[in-house]
Amino acid sequence: MSLLDELRAAYPDNEKLKALSDPELVSLYSQATGASLDLSAMDLGLDPNDYIQNTGRGQDLVNQGILGLGDIVSGVAGAIDIPIAAATDSAPFSKAVDWAADVTGLGDYGKRLDVTMSPQSQETRTAWDKTWNDEEMGAWDKAKNFAGVLWDDPAYALEFAARSAPTLVPAIGGAKLLGMGAKAMEAAGLTRTAAAVRPLIPGMAEGGVAAGYQMNNLLEEDVGPREAAGYSALTGAGTGLIGGVMGALGARAGLTDPHRRLAGYRLPDEAPALPWYQRIPGGIAMEAGQEALQSPWEQAMTNVATDQPWDQGLARSAVEGAIGGGIIGAPFNIFRGREIDLTQTPDDTGNDQLDPTKGLDTSRVNAPSVGAGIRNL
């Protein structure tokens, strides 16, 4: 038993000891004493090897990627729980994931990854947070400060993308399942219904992922399961609508949306053949703009569900979402893919060469790609 466990046993009514995990307490102890994380862990009776701080930004990006992968399990459990919670006011899959994380120690492992980020990352995060929290600083001064922070440590921008990139993985799975549903409609003779559904699949998959992650977040904030399910469904609907519309518009302009690309969609034939030096900045702008709308919507739903001012943190979520989204949008527009126009329908002669029901190339859903696994923030 570690010293922290002994303290928790000796002071069972101490709310801070109960609420904070071992990694969080080690971090607080380190900040208070000035000792390194590993020495602080040793003082508190924990294994110092678990608290060796990163020395490079590459390690930080790996940490963020691992944290993002861990988020997938909670997000998927949240998505499964939404209809269950709406009907029964319980979230059994999310509870099971939380129980497994506690039993296996993976919950504390994730928190250790966060507190052992490199000194440069933590200094940048402190400067970033300080700028956001300065209520007396004007918008222009804040913008200059943010630019200065990223100029000094451009890798910090990559952290936004690295943490959220893995969420594209469940979106791929969701698109595949929806594609199978469209095929089932075809088999049942609902060809035109399937044709109408297929263009919506990328947005629906993206919205489903956002809903699942929101469900997990709200449950962690002690929002009731049924209420969390309602707000999560609204979150997913808004995020999916924004992503679907902007992705379709981008495709018409010759730009590739990550969710459409990973779902197997390519650019329509009539889309302009943009050169790479237009595609890449265009993809950055498209994804940054999309995230600048989606992230505040998700934050607003969190605020309302948790009884916070509805507009709290919207500007920050828009800026950070745009940074991560822009980074993700770039690699998906290095190469240009093509496919049939998903809006066209079979002609009266029975020629189905341009049938939109063939618009989803399911054989490519799990194929390796330049940005495979990168998430739309």
Side-chain angles (χ1 to χ4, degrees):
M1 179 179 290
S2 70
L3 175 59
L4 291 179
D5 289 333
E6 293 176 2
L7 288 172
R8 290 189 181 102
Y11 301 96
D13 296 328
N14 188 297
E15 294 299 325
K16 179 161 283 190
L17 281 174
K18 288 195 297 184
L20 296 178
S21 64
D22 285 359
E24 290 167 328
L25 289 170
V26 170
S27 179
L28 288 174
Y29 183 89
S30 174
Q31 294 171 30
T33 63
S36 64
L37 283 174
D38 53 340
L39 290 179
S40 297
M42 184 181 296
D43 287 347
L44 295 174
L46 301 171
D47 186 352
N49 292 321
D50 290 337
Y51 291 88
I52 297 176
Q53 198 163 17
N54 293 348
T55 56
R57 303 300 271 123
Q59 292 174 295
D60 293 336
L61 295 178
V62 170
N63 277 20
Q64 293 288 8
I66 294 173
L67 288 169
L69 288 172
D71 291 339
I72 292 175
V73 178
S74 299
V76 171
I80 297 172
D81 274 334
I82 289 175
I84 298 174
T88 67
D89 199 23
S90 64
F93 286 88
S94 295
K95 285 184 178 180
V97 168
D98 290 342
W99 174 82
D102 289 339
V103 170
T104 62
L106 288 175
D108 274 357
Y109 172 70
K111 292 173 182 175
R112 286 200 303 272
L113 290 178
D114 190 48
V115 302
T116 55
M117 299 289 282
S118 70
Q120 185 176 10
S121 174
Q122 296 192 14
E123 289 170 7
T124 301
R125 183 187 302 181
T126 299
W128 189 265
D129 291 343
K130 182 179 179 180
T131 298
W132 275 118
N133 296 330
D134 190 337
E135 297 180 356
E136 297 181 358
M137 187 180 296
W140 176 245
D141 289 332
K142 284 191 176 185
K144 290 191 293 184
N145 274 20
F146 291 139
V149 168
L150 296 180
W151 178 266
D152 293 336
D153 184 15
Y156 189 66
L158 296 177
E159 287 189 29
F160 294 126
R163 176 63 184 265
S164 55
T167 58
L168 276 178
V169 175
I172 300 170
K176 187 174 181 67
L177 290 174
L178 291 169
M180 292 170 61
K183 280 192 172 183
M185 291 181 187
E186 291 177 4
L190 302 175
T191 303
R192 292 190 178 275
T193 303
V197 167
R198 284 196 186 280
L200 306 177
I201 285 176
M204 293 167 66
E206 185 176 6
V209 171
Y213 278 68
Q214 181 73 298
M215 182 69 174
N216 176 64
N217 292 336
L218 294 181
L219 290 174
E220 289 184 349
E221 294 291 334
D222 295 326
V223 177
R226 180 171 284 142
E227 185 179 2
Y231 283 112
S232 298
L234 286 174
T235 299
T239 297
L241 178 62
I242 294 169
V245 170
M246 293 195 69
L249 292 175
R252 291 292 181 184
L255 302 173
T256 299
D257 173 78
H259 286 86
R260 291 176 66 87
R261 171 61 64 90
L262 292 177
Y265 292 89
R266 302 295 175 269
L267 298 179
D269 286 337
E270 70 273 17
L274 301 177
W276 66 268
Y277 56 82
Q278 290 181 349
R279 284 198 311 272
I280 293 176
I284 292 172
M286 177 181 70
E287 285 302 305
Q290 180 174 316
E291 282 299 326
L293 296 175
Q294 289 175 323
S295 296
W297 169 253
E298 294 162 6
Q299 182 63 47
M301 289 295 98
T302 299
N303 292 341
V304 175
T306 55
D307 296 323
Q308 301 297 320
W310 72 269
D311 58 347
Q312 179 176 292
L314 298 194
R316 179 169 187 168
S317 63
V319 169
E320 294 180 353
I323 291 172
I327 293 172
I328 289 168
F332 284 92
N333 284 277
I334 294 175
F335 303 105
R336 184 176 190 272
R338 297 191 67 86
E339 73 168 34
I340 65 165
D341 182 353
L342 295 175
T343 65
Q344 297 192 49
T345 55
D347 58 33
D348 295 334
T349 64
N351 178 8
D352 64 355
Q353 184 177 359
L354 296 178
D355 184 350
T357 63
K358 300 183 182 303
L360 180 63
D361 180 4
T362 56
S363 67
R364 293 184 57 87
V365 170
N366 289 325
S369 67
V370 170
I374 294 181
R375 178 234 186 206
N376 186 306
L377 279 175

